[in-house]
Amino acid sequence: MKTLIILAHPGIQNSVINKRLLQEALKEPQRFSVHDLTQVYGSGDIDAAREQELIRAHDALVLQFPLHNFSCPPILKSWIDAVMTHGFAYGCGSDGITGRKVALAVTAGIKKERLLPARTLSF
């Protein structure tokens, strides 16, 4: 089983966790393909047909990204809008992700010194 990792990190060089996840995946190219949206689509023009074929060529799909303003980075949102279309990802007769495992690898980085002490919420 080969897994396609869609990496959407605008500053991977400054990341700790995402960079480590990427390094580990690259150690096993027979199991993982890494597709860095920032490198491939810096201009923002997503080739939906190419991306859909890439997904079809893999057994599983992982979207890896940092939480960005309580959402995904803009390049991933553009990718989702262009690639995960009716007839491919959903709708009657869609077959693009049917039978494939799909997962999210989401990080929310914060410097240790900025962590707040744990609190119990009361309502």
Side-chain angles (χ1 to χ4, degrees), residues 79-96:
W79 184 89
I80 291 168
D81 289 346
V83 176
M84 297 299 180
T85 57
H86 184 271
F88 176 76
Y90 64 94
C92 187
S94 64
D95 66 347

Side-chain angles (χ1 to χ4, degrees), residues 12-86:
I12 190 73
Q13 67 280 3
N14 298 319
S15 174
V16 175
I17 298 301
N18 280 282
K19 189 165 43 175
R20 176 66 188 269
L21 291 171
L22 176 62
Q23 290 167 345
E24 291 301 313
L26 292 174
K27 289 179 183 178
E28 297 190 62
Q30 72 282 3
R31 291 185 56 208
F32 300 102
S33 297
V34 177
H35 188 55
D36 186 342
L37 296 181
T38 304
Q39 283 186 348
V40 177
Y41 296 113
S43 66
D45 294 328
I46 309 292
D47 183 344
R50 175 180 180 230
E51 297 299 306
Q52 290 171 348
E53 286 308 310
L54 193 56
I55 292 169
R56 283 190 170 105
H58 290 79
D59 303 302
L61 176 66
V62 174
L63 303 180
Q64 180 184 332
F65 60 95
L67 194 61
H68 184 83
N69 294 329
F70 297 97
S71 187
C72 63
I75 190 130
L76 183 56
K77 175 64 170 120
S78 295
W79 184 89
I80 291 168
D81 289 346
V83 176
M84 297 299 180
T85 57
H86 184 271

